[in-house]
Amino acid sequence: MRRLIACFCLSLLCAALHAADQRPAVVKAAPPIFPPWLRGPELSEGEVMISFVVTKEGKTTDVTATKSPHPLLSQAAISAVKQWTFRPGRKDGVPVAMRMMVPVVFLLEGFLGEKFLSGEFTCLNAAEGRELPPLIGHASPVYPGKHWRGNVEGTVTAEFTITAEGKTSDLKILSASHPEFAESVTKFVASFRFAMDPTYVGNPRVALDLKFISPGTLAKMPPVKPKKSGFEN
């Protein structure tokens, strides 16, 4: 499943409904949700300009989109901004309402999902007859957006240690075909959770070899029944 992230920049354009000497400050800003049926290479990015009023209570009202590449992106941005809260602007120490404008920018970060990834674990210091602790949880890996769009495949080799709590530590990227793949794997490995046997002596040191399979290559592959992998819970 593709994942788009929405960013917002608070180089706010402010127009006071009352003359103010202190601008509103963001307290909480809910991220917009990109409409799933719009996702695709033709909409890899888009900016929605939102106008709204921050009330003297710090809430948003009169939220409208003044510029947008698509009506559904407008709705997503408006819905998010309606949930934002602010420390209100002030005039002579008294809260006042202010009109503000902010761009909400949608950017394609990458693709999520194990179908774009193949790999294997190797325990480097397991005692004889001792198996690697099972992986019981992880976040979805991210295929870097620009490489996905360019059908660029990648490989990463890494090592990490499994702690007594089943988390990962001391990650070392030994090789990576592109730095963006290394960054993706760094975040991916940080999410790993293993089921540790209390009787396990020491901390397993694990080698991880991963390959990112491009959408173009995947589309050419004949349909097969998925194999069990180390990333399946």
Side-chain angles (χ1 to χ4, degrees):
M1 179 175 63
R2 285 159 286 194
R3 172 183 171 191
L4 286 119
I5 56 171
C7 310
F8 57 90
C9 164
L10 292 181
S11 52
L12 295 165
L13 309 174
C14 305
L17 300 179
H18 303 282
D21 51 28
Q22 184 177 342
R23 292 182 176 185
V26 176
V27 174
K28 180 181 179 182
I33 299 175
F34 195 96
W37 45 88
L38 279 184
R39 297 177 181 180
E42 72 281 359
L43 277 172
S44 60
E45 59 184 49
E47 179 178 295
V48 180
M49 185 63 70
I50 296 292
S51 171
F52 58 100
V53 172
V54 176
T55 68
K56 60 184 180 180
E57 291 79 27
K59 298 181 179 181
T60 59
T61 187
D62 193 21
V63 184
T64 59
T66 62
K67 180 182 177 182
S68 173
H70 196 285
L72 290 178
L73 286 185
S74 300
Q75 293 177 21
I78 289 171
S79 177
V81 173
K82 284 182 175 180
Q83 301 176 60
W84 293 5
T85 57
F86 288 78
R87 191 164 54 247
R90 291 178 177 272
K91 173 64 176 177
D92 298 327
V94 179
V96 294
M98 292 189 70
R99 177 166 291 281
M100 313 183 78
M101 294 187 70
V102 60
V104 177
V105 182
F106 295 86
L107 296 173
L108 180 62
E109 178 185 279
F111 270 69
L112 299 180
E114 288 74 9
K115 72 176 183 178
F116 292 106
L117 196 64
S118 67
E120 61 181 7
F121 295 111
T122 304
C123 192
L124 301 175
N125 61 348
E128 185 176 352
R130 179 74 75 171
E131 295 183 355
L132 184 70
L135 180 66
I136 58 173
H138 61 81
S140 292
V142 175
Y143 203 122
K146 71 174 184 178
H147 295 320
W148 171 81
R149 293 191 295 273
N151 269 316
V152 176
E153 298 190 338
T155 57
V156 178
T157 301
E159 291 183 6
F160 61 89
T161 297
I162 304 176
T163 68
E165 294 77 26
K167 299 180 180 181
T168 61
S169 68
D170 191 24
L171 171 69
K172 297 185 185 303
I173 300 295
L174 304 181
S175 65
S177 57
H178 299 80
E180 293 82 5
F181 288 117
E183 181 179 354
S184 176
V185 169
T186 297
K187 295 177 181 178
F188 184 37
V189 171
S191 73
F192 287 179
R193 295 296 180 268
F194 292 85
M196 289 296 292
D197 184 338
T199 65
Y200 203 105
V201 177
N203 298 108
R205 185 70 180 169
V206 181
L208 178 60
D209 292 291
L210 289 174
K211 180 178 181 180
F212 289 80
I213 305 169
S214 72
T217 297
L218 201 65
K220 296 175 184 177
M221 292 181 176
V224 294
K225 185 177 180 180
K227 294 169 60 179
K228 288 282 185 179
S229 75
F231 303 120
E232 296 182 11
N233 298 334

